[in-house]
Amino acid sequence: MVQLSTLSYAVLAPISFICQIILIYGFFRVKKMKKHPEIMIFWQCVSQIILDLHWITGIPSIHNSLNFFCQALGALFVYFYYLSWNYILSLSLEILKKIRDPLNCKYKKRLIFYHISCHLSSFIMFCILISVKNNNGSSLTGTCLVENTSPYELIIFLPLFIHFPICWYICFYTLRASRTNVHAKHLKHHNYVVFAFSLCWGMNAMAHGLNYKGFGIPHISMLDEITIVVGGPSGLFVFLARISQKGILKKIIRSFYKLTKSFRNSNYRNLANSNIISTMSPERLLFSQLNFSGDYSMLFDNMTCTAAADILIGFCKYFSYCAGSEKDIKAIKDGKSHKLQFNLYPNKDKKIYIKHYLPEYFKVVMQQSGIGYRDFINSFNIKDNIKDIESRCKSVGGKSEAFFYFTKDNQFIIKSINSEELEILQSMAKDYSARISEKSRSYLARIFGVFKIIINKSHPIILIIMENLSRFFTSPLNFDLKGSKHERRSTYTAYPNYRVMPRGKVYKDIDFENAFKQLDIENIEGSEILNSLELDTKLLEAYEIMDYSMLLLLEESNNCRNSLLHSNNCFRSGELIGILGIIDFLQNYSTRKRLETTLNTFKNDKKSNYSCIPPDMYRDRFLQLAKDIFVFECLEIKIE
């Protein structure tokens, strides 16, 4: 057994350490490996590196020299032992979330939760072991971990009852989901990692747990030998499981030779330039060009693209039915909503469920905007949208981190909303459509439909189809204005004038004040804008809505499209042409918002500095913002 432990600890453990260093190096050198959810893999690799060092402390000469520090080192190793299990579990949960809800882009808050929970639970175990007195840290395998036959071996045993079952349930769920989800089968590489890690550290956990003298179980020496055999090369096994993903090892090797060429998923783009696009079915068109090589982030992107393509096909079929082209599909009318369920592809068991909320009200908005079902069919055409679908499936907007999709012709936006926003939109749909239909101009962004989508048994997705106000411009300056100054800037660079300001960014209130301060417009146009905004915000205040934004798009007149002249949202200021709209008007002044207002009050006595204030105050500030921006000469007429 001494020779076995020497081979494992002195030879295999350093090899494992080197393998994990290679993965960490790849994380820093390969751009894709820095994207979500690769950061969780990074932390798991870091933890594995420390655990590989833990095995080296089992070499007798090293262990004897560390005798005094063994308890502290053992507590540190237990910290990373739990951290490694925690990040394996977190990554598994994130994969499960992505399979069930592929359009969900709200990972930032979840990622914060993952990091806090992973490190906090590990730190608690560290504190327990570092503070107790009856723990010398010398484990049954001769390493610095927890004292042999002590109650603290149950700490090592615990992940077998928490982490192990959950991870393996997700692995089996992934295998089952692979029957209907084309991407799930490519998650087998994660299953390999779970298997390799569970084999190595699950055996270690079992050996420590059964060794606890409180159980009264006779010592099993063979289990100790197995633990030593699979323990030293644990990092090597995990490394082999990770590089089983196609393309990962090649990227890392190339990064060693400083080949910094960007490895992008250009399959969609290559497809766009091929002649085969006109002859392929939508299903083959999409799936034949998906790139499953490489990392988790690319796989997550592909899952999002596939879900978006399925929704586009579903919308096309639904609107074809509404236009009278689809004769074989029967819709079910449920009160004021329409329900439709059908197969997405003729030769594939993939069903989509579409529920269309309050179509009669939003049809009024469509008619007022000159939009018909044929326009949707043309804009959502899969053979046009597939050409660079990956570039339009990654947009995440604002604090809500909502999913956005811009159609290929730039006419429409598909945006995800939550259930609270759905309730608000349903409650105000009648008055909203009536306001859009009034003779006086309305700057409320046009919403043409609200839908609930379920693909097979996925999590329900609530989507709206709305107009894209930027369709008239090529590269406008984009401002999102609220009238607030607190954290309302996107850049700290002082630009000499608006012409040199970079396009493609969303600027905020302070940025606008630094660049323009105000816009001079004609008297009639200015009064119409303010009167219309008065009516729009009056409707929003009636439904206790706040936190909406003024979308202001500005571009030089020679760069604008001719169709801009047909837009009611258009105005002119000198050599600039502008588009004005009210967006994000689905935030109700809920209990959470009231609490946020109260907390902000403790920070600063001036509520007006913050975005979150009561609807009446918000409306007053918003209208004052409009008066400050649009400057025109007010003529007073005296009647004698």
Side-chain angles (χ1 to χ4, degrees):
M1 185 169 175
V2 175
Q3 293 180 347
L4 191 64
S5 62
T6 303
L7 174 65
S8 182
Y9 299 164
V11 179
L12 297 180
I15 293 175
S16 298
F17 177 82
I18 293 171
C19 289
Q20 293 301 313
I21 289 292
I22 291 173
L23 285 179
I24 294 293
Y25 175 83
F27 178 86
F28 285 109
R29 291 300 301 269
V30 180
K31 183 179 179 181
K32 280 280 188 179
M33 293 185 75
K34 298 179 184 179
K35 295 182 60 179
H36 180 74
E38 302 294 329
I39 187 65
M40 289 188 280
I41 299 173
F42 166 76
W43 273 108
Q44 200 278 324
C45 291
V46 170
S47 303
Q48 184 63 53
I49 286 176
I50 305 301
L51 293 178
D52 290 332
L53 290 176
H54 144 264
W55 293 113
I56 298 176
T57 64
I59 300 173
S61 58
I62 295 178
H63 187 81
N64 294 333
S65 65
L66 295 173
N67 188 41
F68 183 75
F69 303 100
C70 200
Q71 179 182 359
L73 280 175
L76 180 65
F77 291 142
V78 169
Y79 178 94
F80 285 100
Y81 169 77
Y82 265 88
L83 196 64
S84 195
W85 273 111
N86 289 342
Y87 274 105
I88 284 282
L89 177 59
S90 298
L91 181 59
S92 299
L93 291 173
E94 191 64 12
I95 286 172
L96 181 65
K97 179 72 175 176
K98 193 64 178 179
I99 292 175
R100 290 181 172 178
D101 192 2
L103 285 189
N104 189 297
C105 299
K106 302 176 183 179
Y107 64 82
K108 292 182 179 179
K109 292 181 179 179
R110 289 201 306 274
L111 196 57
I112 293 173
F113 171 77
Y114 290 144
H115 288 319
I116 292 175
S117 58
C118 287
H119 285 271
L120 182 61
S121 60
S122 302
F123 184 69
I124 290 172
M125 297 302 175
F126 171 81
C127 290
I128 292 173
L129 293 177
I130 199 69
S131 60
V132 296
K133 296 181 179 179
N134 56 340
N135 173 33
N136 60 21
S138 183
S139 69
L140 69 94
T141 55
T143 62
C144 292
L145 199 63
V146 293
E147 184 175 344
N148 187 18
T149 69
S150 71
Y152 306 112
E153 289 195 296
L154 296 179
I155 290 178
I156 309 300
F157 195 42
L158 190 60
L160 276 185
F161 295 93
I162 300 176
H163 302 73
F164 183 86
I166 297 175
C167 289
W168 276 92
Y169 164 76
I170 295 174
C171 287
F172 285 118
Y173 180 90
T174 302
L175 291 174
R176 188 177 64 179
S178 63
R179 299 175 184 175
T180 55
N181 190 318
V182 70
H183 299 279
K185 63 182 180 182
H186 297 277
L187 291 169
K188 62 185 179 183
H189 305 287
H190 176 70
N191 294 350
Y192 296 159
V193 173
V194 172
F195 175 77
F197 187 84
S198 301
L199 173 66
C200 299
W201 292 101
M203 292 300 299
N204 188 284
M206 185 179 298
H208 279 84
L210 298 180
N211 190 57
Y212 170 51
K213 63 181 180 180
F215 288 150
I217 300 174
H219 184 72
I220 307 173
S221 58
M222 183 177 291
L223 188 59
D224 296 346
E225 293 177 4
I226 295 174
T227 301
I228 291 171
V229 168
V230 300
S234 59
L236 174 62
F237 292 152
V238 174
F239 172 79
L240 294 175
R242 290 216 184 279
I243 65 170
S244 66
Q245 294 175 257
K246 182 182 177 183
I248 282 289
L249 184 60
K250 183 171 67 174
K251 291 180 181 181
I252 294 174
I253 291 174
R254 288 188 176 184
S255 68
F256 273 101
Y257 291 96
K258 299 182 179 180
L259 297 179
T260 56
K261 181 180 178 181
S262 177
F263 295 95
R264 294 178 181 146
N265 182 9
S266 59
N267 290 298
Y268 300 105
R269 207 170 291 108
N270 294 336
L271 177 64
N273 299 325
S274 65
N275 295 326
I276 197 171
I277 191 170
S278 59
T279 59
M280 293 178 70
S281 66
E283 181 186 15
R284 288 187 59 208
L285 187 63
L286 177 66
F287 295 114
S288 65
Q289 293 298 315
L290 289 178
N291 187 349
F292 300 108
S293 65
D295 43 59
Y296 285 81
S297 62
M298 185 178 292
L299 180 59
F300 274 32
D301 289 346
N302 283 341
M303 293 174 76
T304 303
C305 290
T306 303
D310 288 341
I311 288 169
L312 290 172
I313 294 171
F315 274 148
C316 283
K317 287 195 174 186
Y318 176 74
F319 292 128
S320 295
Y321 163 80
C322 294
S325 302
E326 291 278 352
K327 302 295 183 182
D328 298 331
I329 299 177
K330 293 184 179 180
I332 303 171
K333 190 170 183 179
D334 179 21
K336 294 183 178 181
S337 302
H338 288 171
K339 294 181 180 179
L340 206 66
Q341 184 170 325
F342 51 88
N343 287 334
L344 275 174
Y345 305 106
N347 300 321
K348 190 179 179 72
D349 185 21
K350 196 170 192 179
K351 293 183 179 180
I352 186 169
Y353 166 88
I354 297 179
K355 182 175 182 179
H356 190 177
Y357 292 96
L358 306 173
E360 66 275 16
Y361 294 134
F362 294 104
K363 192 172 183 179
V364 172
V365 181
M366 289 171 56
Q367 293 171 347
Q368 186 69 20
S369 305
I371 300 296
Y373 291 122
R374 288 291 174 189
D375 296 297
F376 292 139
I377 296 170
N378 294 333
S379 293
F380 298 154
N381 185 290
I382 188 65
K383 291 190 176 181
D384 291 334
N385 283 274
I386 198 67
K387 294 179 182 179
D388 53 355
I389 192 172
E390 81 280 13
S391 66
R392 297 191 301 278
C393 281
K394 302 173 184 176
S395 300
V396 178
K399 294 181 180 179
S400 66
E401 299 181 75
F403 170 81
F404 280 81
Y405 180 85
F406 293 80
T407 57
K408 174 64 178 177
D409 59 5
N410 222 26
Q411 294 298 306
F412 303 106
I413 299 172
I414 300 174
K415 179 188 175 183
S416 63
I417 61 173
N418 58 41
S419 55
E420 294 178 359
E421 293 171 323
L422 172 62
E423 291 179 7
I424 294 170
L425 194 51
Q426 284 181 289
S427 65
M428 65 180 293
K430 184 177 180 180
D431 291 335
Y432 168 74
S433 62
R435 171 70 189 112
I436 298 296
S437 303
E438 290 178 3
K439 291 183 179 180
S440 58
R441 181 187 305 178
S442 173
Y443 290 102
L444 293 171
R446 268 52 170 177
I447 297 175
F448 302 123
V450 188
F451 307 87
K452 179 189 286 185
I453 308 289
I454 300 176
I455 303 172
N456 281 352
K457 296 181 180 179
S458 69
H459 188 275
I461 306 165
I462 305 172
L463 301 170
I464 60 174
I465 299 175
M466 57 188 296
E467 67 175 336
N468 181 15
L469 289 171
S470 65
R471 66 187 182 277
F472 303 109
F473 295 137
T474 54
S475 57
L477 283 170
N478 190 336
F479 293 94
D480 182 298
L481 309 177
K482 293 180 182 288
S484 167
K485 297 294 170 56
H486 180 67
E487 296 181 353
R488 296 295 298 169
R489 69 186 308 163
S490 296
T491 179
Y492 287 87
T493 304
Y495 297 104
N497 57 67
Y498 69 85
R499 293 183 180 86
V500 297
M501 293 178 71
R503 268 55 172 175
K505 294 183 64 175
V506 178
Y507 296 100
K508 298 182 180 180
D509 295 72
I510 297 176
D511 304 317
F512 179 85
E513 185 175 327
N514 293 336
F516 292 98
K517 290 187 173 59
Q518 61 188 35
L519 298 172
D520 295 320
I521 56 178
E522 295 181 359
N523 293 342
I524 297 177
E525 197 167 33
S527 60
E528 285 183 354
I529 289 175
L530 294 183
N531 290 337
S532 297
L533 292 178
E534 287 266 4
L535 295 172
D536 290 335
T537 54
K538 184 178 180 180
L539 170 65
L540 299 180
E541 183 187 359
Y543 285 92
E544 292 195 317
I545 293 173
M546 40 71 69
D547 210 21
Y548 43 88
S549 300
M550 177 188 296
L551 177 64
L552 196 59
L553 302 173
L554 299 171
E555 190 162 26
E556 295 177 349
S557 56
N558 57 344
N559 292 332
C560 301
R561 296 186 175 94
N562 294 331
S563 56
L564 177 63
L565 301 175
H566 302 289
S567 172
N568 291 327
N569 300 64
C570 172
F571 67 89
R572 179 182 289 273
S573 176
E575 61 181 6
L576 293 173
I577 299 292
I579 286 286
L580 174 66
I582 300 177
I583 60 172
D584 299 334
F585 50 83
L586 296 178
Q587 287 292 321
N588 188 268
Y589 195 53
S590 59
T591 303
R592 182 173 59 84
K593 291 290 186 181
R594 295 174 194 272
L595 179 60
E596 185 180 341
T597 302
T598 304
L599 293 174
N600 288 337
T601 304
F602 288 116
K603 298 177 184 177
N604 192 314
D605 293 333
K606 296 182 179 179
K607 289 184 179 180
S608 58
N609 288 339
Y610 295 91
S611 296
C612 187
I613 56 177
D616 55 341
M617 293 179 61
Y618 195 93
R619 180 182 182 234
D620 292 340
R621 189 180 70 187
F622 189 86
L623 292 175
Q624 185 59 50
L625 170 69
K627 293 175 183 177
D628 293 339
I629 290 176
F630 301 105
V631 178
F632 57 96
E633 183 180 353
C634 296
L635 300 178
E636 295 184 2
I637 302 176
K638 295 182 179 182
I639 301 176
E640 298 180 356

